Amino acid sequence: QVFPVDLDNREACLALAGCDVLFGCVDSAKGREDLAAIGAFYCLPCIDVGMRLDPDGSGGVKAINGHLHYLIPGEFSLRDFGIYTDKQVHADALKKSDPEAYASEVRAGYIAGVNEDSPAVISLNGFVASLAVNELRFRLHPCRSIEPQEYRAVGVAVSEMALFPQKPLAAEPSPYLVARVGRGDVTPLLDNP
């Protein structure tokens, strides 16, 4: 089933709540925040992936990096891993709800760095998406030398041809999602007015 809407749409949210596992392949901080909230409210694990190409300043690419995070409700979130900040979520939400106020905040310097395009290349996205599918398979049927509970994130340094486990930047899970674990169908949906 396809829903051509944002994740804060009630019908789309409830359809996702009926899944067993969520896969996140979104480009915005707000989209990632909403998917993590759905996972928390409905006690669903989520595997989030992303890619980033860093320019070298001369028209080329300096580095190609990605990530894969296995999120368990009540544990560390993408915010705790430094994938996005509250300011980025605010900027994404404001851009959608009030484009004029968003433009005003960009001009005033309250929102910085948002006009940088992050080019996506289908083969790289396909690569990290296949890692996500295999991550679920390896968690259902362990076959690695490292136990699944020993890591929650994998960094992907395509330029260096390396995969490596990552640790959260935060010492403790952020209370934002922890407080929402298992709350299910609430009004307003996902505590978003």
Side-chain angles (χ1 to χ4, degrees):
Q1 194 169 8
V2 176
F3 295 89
V5 295
D6 290 333
L7 291 176
D8 56 8
N9 173 276
R10 184 169 192 80
E11 187 180 4
C13 176
L14 294 177
L16 288 173
C19 295
D20 294 324
V21 178
L22 303 174
F23 283 89
C25 307
V26 299
D27 291 328
S28 72
K30 177 74 168 91
R32 285 190 157 98
E33 180 88 350
D34 288 345
L35 195 63
I38 293 168
F41 273 86
Y42 295 97
C43 294
L44 300 170
C46 177
I47 298 177
D48 181 83
V49 297
M51 292 296 297
R52 188 182 77 226
L53 282 71
D54 296 325
D56 65 4
S58 301
V61 176
K62 172 175 55 175
I64 303 171
N65 297 299
H67 71 261
L68 178 154
H69 289 85
Y70 183 79
L71 305 174
I72 297 174
E75 292 193 6
F76 292 102
S77 71
L78 292 171
R79 184 182 293 158
D80 300 322
F81 280 94
I83 299 300
Y84 61 79
T85 64
D86 290 337
K87 285 184 178 182
Q88 289 170 311
V89 173
H90 167 74
D92 287 346
L94 191 60
K95 186 176 184 179
K96 176 185 170 196
S97 65
D98 191 345
E100 288 180 22
Y102 169 81
S104 176
E105 286 196 21
V106 169
R107 282 190 302 276
Y110 294 117
I111 298 175
V114 294
N115 293 324
E116 300 172 14
D117 288 329
S118 182
V121 178
I122 192 68
S123 62
L124 295 172
N125 290 340
F127 171 68
V128 77
S130 70
L131 289 175
V133 171
N134 282 314
E135 183 65 27
L136 177 62
R137 293 180 70 197
F138 295 150
R139 286 184 178 273
L140 293 172
H141 305 286
C143 65
R144 289 183 171 151
S145 58
I146 183 172
E147 293 294 324
Q149 65 270 21
E150 293 181 33
Y151 70 98
R152 291 288 183 258
V154 176
V156 181
V158 177
S159 306
E160 306 297 323
M161 295 185 64
L163 301 176
F164 50 92
Q166 292 180 315
K167 294 184 178 183
L169 302 175
E172 296 285 329
S174 63
Y176 171 75
L177 290 176
V178 171
R180 288 155 173 77
V181 173
R183 293 192 48 222
D185 296 337
V186 296
T187 301
L189 184 66
L190 304 179
D191 283 346
N192 289 332

